[in-house]
Amino acid sequence: SGRRLALRIMLLQLAVAALAGLVFLTLGRPEAVSAAAGAVVVALGTALLSARFFSGLSSSAGMALGRLLTGMLLKWIVIVGGLFVILFQFKLPPLAAITGLVAAYAVYLLAFRFKG
């Protein structure tokens, strides 16, 4: 069930990326690309965390915790690195990128509140 939840969260984050891109398209193409890229970076981080956490059988609680912490570290490296690339290498609008990032991360937080 954890793998299904992780996949559902990632797919919802990708849907938010598309929605954010469409919303920011009214302001221009660079804003749309920036918002979508910000949300996609979060979805990639979630995918990396899930892949790391669910890789293999849990032989002990310590191993599971280690995989979780390693996955979280990798997730934040991807998010911060991706944001750095979006803002400084491609020089896309920062407000749109941060809005997309926050919107996609909100999906992550709300998914655990409403697991239903």
Side-chain angles (χ1 to χ4, degrees), residues 8 10 12 21 23 25 27 31 45-47 50 57 76 81 83 85 95 99-100 102 108-110:
R8 186 172 48 186
M10 190 188 66
L12 285 171
V23 168
L25 193 57
L27 298 176
E31 286 82 2
T46 300
S50 302
L57 299 172
W76 282 105
L83 194 58
V85 168
L95 182 62
T99 303
V102 168
Y108 183 79
L109 294 175
L110 289 174

Side-chain angles (χ1 to χ4, degrees), residues 19-89:
L19 183 64
L22 287 174
V23 168
F24 275 92
L25 193 57
T26 60
L27 298 176
R29 188 173 180 266
E31 286 82 2
V33 170
S34 182
V40 166
V41 164
V42 176
L44 288 175
T46 300
L48 186 61
L49 168 66
S50 302
R52 180 68 185 130
F53 184 68
F54 294 117
S55 65
L57 299 172
S58 180
S59 58
S60 69
M63 292 290 287
L65 179 63
R67 282 199 311 269
L68 176 66
L69 293 177
T70 304
M72 287 297 289
L73 179 65
L74 291 173
K75 175 183 177 174
W76 282 105
I77 289 171
V78 166
I79 290 174
V80 171
L83 194 58
F84 182 82
V85 168
I86 290 167
L87 297 179
F88 296 111
Q89 185 174 359

